Amino acid sequence: AFFALSCAEPLFPAMYKLRSRVFSVSLLLSSNSVAQGYSLGGSLPHRFSRGVALRGGASPRAAAAGAQEAATAVPLTSASLAASDAAASDWTGDMMVVPVWEAKEGESIALGAEAAALDAALSGAVADLIADSEFKGKAGSSAVVSLPRGGNVRKVAVVGMGLSTDFKISGARKFGATLATLATEQKPKQAAALLPTGPALAADTQQAAFEAAMLGLSPDTRYKSDADSDENKPPPLQALALLGADAGALARARSFSAGVLLTRGLVASPANYATPTSLAACAKEIADRFEGMTLTVLERAECEARGMGAYLGVSQGAVEPPKFIHLCLSAPGGGKPAKKIAYVGKGLTFDSGGYNIKAGAGSMIEKMKFDMGGAGAVLGAARTLAEVRPAGV
């Protein structure tokens, strides 16, 4: 079960009984009143009362003329990332990326078999690039050279992987992020990348690298006034061939990246977009898209009937109605689960008016749209789990 508690300060609503089978996602979403006024005038009553005097101005959605858009996911890159068994020496395109391990003290960088065959096909261009740039293979470092016209490849790049003995998942993510950076800076339309060998990357490590590459290729330009400028628009990459990649790891990376981008999109949306209603609509899209996922949304009256006073008190001064969102992921075939797992995330959308009592350095009042980050993370996790369907879930 995933719970996202939308209560400011330590007030806990009367939880409505779960009917989940395996995974349950519940997001208690509430528009924030300026409400933390209860810290000035005493505690809110546990039971909901319409007599509680909390003030809240019109939400930004109501104030912004014609603002009807809802919070959405950051779009996943349109570039095609695909596993390929092609030999690097036979590949044709704009840029080939060659990963190399950092050499130990007193040793030289050694190319793997595929990289050496590519180097021979390119008349030593890879080895020359390493030598001419004095490339050391430090993790995340890179060097690029343009090749003469008429060859199979227009540019070749080397990417440092660091010492193989120190390599961890974080190094794989750095490799993927560097791939995305090269695609952005060098602007190839067709690119390919060898995967490291000696040692080769395990499937989970490959997945981490591919996730970092996809996320790096998926900038958030939804609210940019100049989204089409060179600085903001996505790279022109159309296809990235991952030579020797594990296809299953790539598929999982795509699902995980989509979940991360959903969370990023919700958290980065201002409060006139990321309302409880729009987040409930996001949950509905997940439930409609993936088999086995069901959705229940408790409205204000239903929450009031269950005595969820603390939860409702937080949103009483806001224009937007609260939404208690509960997603359930059922076991395949309707089987009885061995256990149930719950995820909980807070979902304050902070669309309040009134006085700012969080003044002063470090208050981060301008960043309070992040206050629904827990709910955003839960929705992203729900989307990924529903698509990946790990064994036994």
Side-chain angles (χ1 to χ4, degrees):
F2 306 74
F3 292 93
L5 300 181
S6 178
C7 296
E9 304 218 348
L11 300 172
F12 295 92
M15 303 298 293
Y16 111 86
K17 187 176 180 181
L18 289 180
R19 296 186 205 140
S20 60
R21 298 177 180 82
V22 177
F23 278 98
S24 174
V25 186
S26 291
L27 299 94
L28 310 187
L29 291 174
S30 167
S31 301
N32 199 359
S33 56
V34 73
Q36 300 191 13
Y38 57 72
S39 63
L40 300 177
S43 299
L44 287 172
H46 178 70
R47 298 288 297 180
F48 176 76
S49 169
R50 294 188 182 278
V52 176
L54 294 178
R55 292 184 177 275
S59 70
R61 173 183 283 269
Q68 299 297 322
E69 294 86 347
T72 57
V74 176
L76 184 64
T77 176
S78 60
S80 170
L81 277 70
S84 173
D85 294 327
S89 55
D90 295 332
W91 184 82
T92 300
D94 297 318
M95 184 174 71
M96 171 66 71
V97 180
V98 180
V100 296
W101 296 106
E102 182 180 354
K104 295 180 180 179
E105 188 71 28
E107 298 180 1
S108 300
I109 289 177
L111 297 177
E114 274 290 306
L118 172 66
D119 185 47
L122 297 178
S123 303
V126 179
D128 288 346
L129 173 60
I130 293 172
D132 294 345
S133 62
E134 298 183 349
F135 193 72
K136 304 300 183 183
K138 298 287 186 182
S141 61
S142 63
V144 185
V145 66
S146 296
L147 303 180
R149 293 178 179 272
N152 287 349
V153 179
R154 290 182 56 211
K155 293 180 181 180
V156 64
V158 288
V159 171
M161 300 295 295
L163 291 170
S164 61
T165 53
D166 297 338
F167 190 73
K168 299 177 182 178
I169 287 285
S170 58
R173 294 194 178 101
K174 189 172 289 187
F175 170 53
T178 305
L179 289 179
T181 299
L182 286 170
T184 301
E185 294 176 348
Q186 301 301 320
K187 296 180 172 52
K189 292 184 177 180
Q190 302 291 326
L194 277 168
L195 293 193
T197 58
L201 301 188
D204 60 338
T205 310
Q206 288 189 35
Q207 179 181 333
F210 302 154
E211 287 173 22
M214 290 180 189
L215 295 175
L217 291 169
S218 306
D220 185 2
T221 61
R222 296 168 304 154
Y223 304 115
K224 298 285 188 180
S225 58
D226 54 349
D228 293 329
S229 69
D230 290 340
E231 180 182 358
N232 293 322
K233 66 183 179 183
L237 184 67
Q238 296 175 356
L240 174 60
L242 298 164
L243 309 184
D246 183 303
L250 182 58
R252 289 190 298 275
R254 187 173 288 108
S255 296
F256 276 70
S257 297
V260 170
L261 291 172
L262 173 58
T263 296
R264 285 185 180 180
L266 296 175
V267 174
S269 294
N272 57 322
Y273 287 74
T275 64
T277 299
S278 69
L279 267 67
C282 176
K284 184 177 185 302
E285 289 181 11
I286 296 173
D288 290 345
R289 179 172 179 179
F290 298 106
E291 185 178 356
M293 187 71 84
T294 57
L295 171 66
T296 301
V297 179
L298 298 184
E299 303 292 346
R300 183 188 299 276
E302 296 168 286
C303 294
E304 186 176 348
R306 287 171 169 80
M308 298 165 65
Y311 165 66
L312 291 169
V314 176
S315 69
Q316 188 179 6
V319 172
E320 292 286 343
K323 303 286 181 180
F324 186 115
I325 303 170
H326 180 189
L327 282 167
C328 293
L329 182 60
S330 304
K336 187 176 181 180
K339 66 177 180 179
K340 301 173 184 178
I341 301 176
Y343 289 78
V344 181
K346 184 177 76 172
L348 288 177
T349 59
F350 210 79
D351 60 342
S352 62
Y355 293 106
N356 169 22
I357 62 173
K358 284 190 173 184
S363 67
M364 296 197 303
I365 190 67
E366 77 281 3
K367 296 182 179 179
M368 283 297 104
K369 66 178 183 180
F370 296 169
D371 216 16
M372 46 64 62
V378 167
L379 281 172
R383 189 227 178 274
T384 295
L385 281 169
E387 185 169 43
V388 173
R389 274 304 182 106
V393 176

